[in-house]
Amino acid sequence: MVSVRKILVYVAAAIVGLYSILPIYSLVIISLMDVRDVVAGNVFPVNPNINAYLRIFGFDVVGPYGPLRAYGGYEGLMRGLTNIMIVAPTVMAITIIAVVPAAYALGRLRVRGRSALVLTLLASRSLPPVSVALPYFFLFSQLGLRTSLIGMIIVHLTITIPITTWILMGFFAALPRDLEKAARIDGCSRLGAFRRVVLPMAAPGIAATAVIAFLFSWNDFFFSWLLSQGTPAATYNAQLSGFFNFQNEPAMFAAAVTVQILLATVVATALQRYIVRLRIVDPGAVVVET
Amino acid sequence: MKLGDTAFALILTIPLIALVLSINIYPIAYSFWLSLHDISLIKNTITPVGLQQYAKALSDTIFHGSVFVSLRFVAESVLLVVFLSLGIALVLNEKIRGLPVLKVLVILPWALSEFAVAIAGRFFLDRNYGFLNALLVSLGIVKEPLYFLNAVNAVDWLAFFFAWNVTPIGAYFILSALQTIPEELYKQAKVDGASALQRFRMVTFPFIRYALLITAVLATILSASSIVLFFALTGGGPGFASTPTTLYAFRVFFNAQDFGYGAALSWLLLAFVITISVLYFRLLSRRR
């Protein structure tokens, strides 16, 4: 009886694993296939090669049926990669500097009107992107922000700040209070107690939210594409839309997308240990408390 | 000078709220103003038309179709997200070998952008080089590659890939709730002769109810706002068969350049999302 249950659990675990990985697998194998594998309809690359990667990074290669030119838009793609490598870490840094004090205050202090503050922040996050798309487009065109990375950073901050405040608030609220109280009684200032006692305890939570902010910025397609496409400030994701015109080159498209998800998945794998520790805030409790 | 807790918190919080609101209030107000006007780029005129743009939506059959697509997509997405998250969380809560590896695999789809999910979906489902067709053909299950993203099933596949992307976060919410359940409660229930289903209903469910609800809330709000997935996986097609209200409003804005009508559509969408959010918050604060 016990063993039947055990087998079922392992079967379920296998299904969960396959479910999680198969779409990613189907993307990655195409990036490693050449035209022979694609035509044959293979489920794994029989002739694996990295030609597609070389081509999107601007190298001419020799394929099975003669030379293949580099991807025509590779300069834009590389500039996009540079841009997002500036934008995403900046967004992450500003988010953490802005959010840690606010989340500490909302999560740990007796604040009147806390639920109103939290709801104001969260409500702005639940706006459908399409509802703000056209006004953003006009506003950023008029201010000349479409062609600068600063505009992109501002837009990403309006996405990352509400969500990370909410997450980190719950993390601060769940930390034990005795040590901080003891530090205050021993003569530490509020800032001193925060720096010496709360901050070290909160370090894993802050690291996790930093990564979440980074991923939001790194993964944003809608605003990047809407606002920066066709400008020098175009990010990597915005440049990826160029592949829509290259439907007959699936390998290069797959390779370009794989490059984008590679860093994201590495970061998420590192984050995975912490994410279980990030308790979500119960907005209901917040409402009742105040 | 000694500051009270509330004042201290306000000093730290107000700048953030000011930033977020200042960048959001203008667009919302501006798009409402647009929705009350008819804007012609050719004649270069802006005519106030009152609520006519909203009236136009009532008789626009493509808009009706898009509302139906949106509702179907949201309903399927929420059901898929909740049940898949619960299933995955229950598996991750078991003591099995290779659990750390499985936990990493499970989180991967969450790390992908909506765009990457759509492209992974394409390469999974494509008729010419898609993995699923290659697998089905090589196993001899089908003879000819299938066209999965047809007018009937496109929305189902979109909902599936939406759920695939969002499920990890739901699974982790539910898992952290599952891990707060004391072992003794299960033992006690077994002693009392409760069946597996009864144990789930009487012991497990009360502990994870809140996590399930939060997962459903997130899935609803995110799926109602989703646009990139449609844009990049099916392009809204074939025809308008998988065009939700978000994508239709976007197309009216940017392709047809009918700014007034597009703004009106996006306001209808906004009203829908706000209504759902308020209902959910009511539900969340009452259920305690």
Side-chain angles (χ1 to χ4, degrees), chain A residues 5-6 9-10 12-14 16-27 29-30 38 41-44 98-99 101-102 104-106 108-112 117-122 124-140 142 154-155 157-158 161-163 165-166 184 190 212 215 218-222 225-226 237 240-241 244 247 250-251 253-254 257 260-261 264-265 268-269 271-272 275-276 278-285 287-288, chain B residues 2-6 8-10 12-14 16-17 19-21 23-24 26-28 30-31 34 84 87-88 91-92 94-98 100 102-116 119-125 128-132 134-136 138 160-161 163-165 167 169 172-173 175-176 179-180 210-211 214 218 221-222 224-228 231-232 245-247 249-250 253-254 259 263 266-267 269-270 273-274 277 281 284-285 288:
Chain A
R5 185 178 185 282
K6 206 81 191 161
V9 166
Y10 275 96
V16 166
L18 285 176
Y19 158 85
S20 301
I21 204 74
L22 273 185
I24 301 175
Y25 173 79
S26 63
L27 174 74
I29 55 165
I30 292 283
V38 173
N42 291 335
V43 290
F44 61 92
V99 156
Y104 167 77
L106 287 173
R108 270 186 106 71
L109 305 178
R110 305 182 130 271
V111 182
R112 287 212 259 137
L117 290 175
V118 175
L119 283 182
T120 314
L121 267 178
L122 277 181
S124 63
R125 176 65 197 99
S126 55
L127 299 175
V130 71
S131 297
V132 292
L134 186 77
Y136 269 7
F137 188 80
F138 285 161
L139 180 67
F140 277 60
Q142 280 162 10
I154 292 173
V155 171
L157 285 175
T158 66
I161 285 178
I163 197 83
T165 306
W166 187 49
R184 289 298 297 278
R190 183 180 275 146
I212 288 171
L215 279 181
W218 181 263
N219 279 344
D220 167 59
F221 178 84
F222 186 73
W225 175 73
L226 177 78
N237 270 339
L240 283 180
S241 62
F244 279 136
Q247 302 288 10
F253 195 4
V257 176
Q260 197 274 333
I261 67 175
T265 48
T269 307
L271 162 84
Q272 179 268 335
I275 197 146
V276 189
L278 287 178
R279 283 278 182 307
I280 34 165
V281 190
D282 183 336
V287 172
V288 171
Chain B
K2 213 169 168 336
L3 282 172
D5 277 359
T6 303
F8 185 66
L10 284 181
L12 296 174
T13 324
I14 290 290
L16 296 191
I17 294 183
L19 169 79
V20 172
L21 283 187
I23 197 88
N24 279 327
Y26 162 80
I28 292 299
Y30 184 61
S31 92
L34 280 176
L84 289 171
I88 292 173
V91 170
L92 291 181
E94 293 289 330
K95 292 178 190 67
I96 52 174
R97 263 192 262 171
L102 189 63
K103 278 187 168 175
V104 169
L105 289 183
V106 162
I107 201 83
L108 288 181
W110 170 77
L112 266 59
S113 67
E114 210 181 336
F115 181 76
I119 302 308
R122 271 199 194 190
F123 286 110
F124 189 65
L125 297 171
N128 297 318
Y129 41 77
F131 174 78
L132 191 53
L135 185 70
L136 291 177
S138 68
F160 174 81
F161 277 100
W164 182 71
N165 188 205
T167 300
I169 214 74
Y172 271 76
F173 281 168
L175 180 63
S176 72
Q179 288 172 344
T180 62
Y210 180 75
I214 277 281
L218 270 180
I221 294 175
L222 289 177
S225 309
S226 174
I227 178 168
V228 172
F231 170 80
T245 309
T246 47
L247 188 61
F250 187 82
F253 261 155
F254 285 93
F259 297 146
S266 78
W267 258 88
L269 178 75
L270 186 62
V273 173
I274 288 176
S277 310
F281 273 116
L284 286 172
S285 34
R288 303 198 52 84

Side-chain angles (χ1 to χ4, degrees), chain B residues 38-111:
Chain B
D38 185 39
I39 292 140
S40 166
L41 288 182
I42 303 156
K43 287 180 283 180
N44 205 11
T45 55
I46 300 176
T47 329
V49 291
L51 294 174
Q52 269 180 35
Q53 301 283 19
Y54 293 92
K56 188 172 160 187
L58 287 179
S59 56
D60 180 349
T61 51
I62 303 178
F63 172 67
H64 298 165
S66 79
V67 170
F68 184 71
V69 169
S70 283
L71 291 177
R72 179 175 161 196
F73 174 73
V74 170
E76 290 183 1
S77 296
V78 172
L79 283 176
L80 279 172
V81 168
V82 168
F83 282 102
L84 289 171
S85 299
L86 178 60
I88 292 173
L90 288 173
V91 170
L92 291 181
N93 199 36
E94 293 289 330
K95 292 178 190 67
I96 52 174
R97 263 192 262 171
L99 193 62
V101 178
L102 189 63
K103 278 187 168 175
V104 169
L105 289 183
V106 162
I107 201 83
L108 288 181
W110 170 77

Side-chain angles (χ1 to χ4, degrees), chain A residues 186-206:
Chain A
D186 289 349
C188 261
S189 65
R190 183 180 275 146
L191 195 67
F194 173 71
R195 204 163 51 84
R196 296 207 189 97
V197 179
V198 182
L199 214 50
M201 282 196 294
I206 295 172

Side-chain angles (χ1 to χ4, degrees), chain B residues 132-203:
Chain B
L132 191 53
N133 269 322
L135 185 70
L136 291 177
V137 171
S138 68
L139 290 177
I141 295 173
V142 296
K143 283 207 168 59
E144 287 290 306
L146 302 171
Y147 179 47
F148 292 111
L149 296 172
N150 55 41
V152 179
N153 297 117
V155 178
D156 306 331
W157 283 109
L158 285 159
F160 174 81
F161 277 100
F162 175 85
W164 182 71
N165 188 205
V166 175
T167 300
I169 214 74
Y172 271 76
F173 281 168
I174 297 168
L175 180 63
S176 72
L178 281 174
Q179 288 172 344
T180 62
I181 305 175
E183 195 78 23
E184 294 83 59
L185 283 182
Y186 284 110
K187 286 195 184 128
Q188 188 59 46
K190 262 190 185 165
V191 171
D192 293 349
S195 69
L197 196 68
Q198 282 172 325
R199 286 202 299 275
F200 180 81
R201 205 163 55 85
M202 311 297 283
V203 182

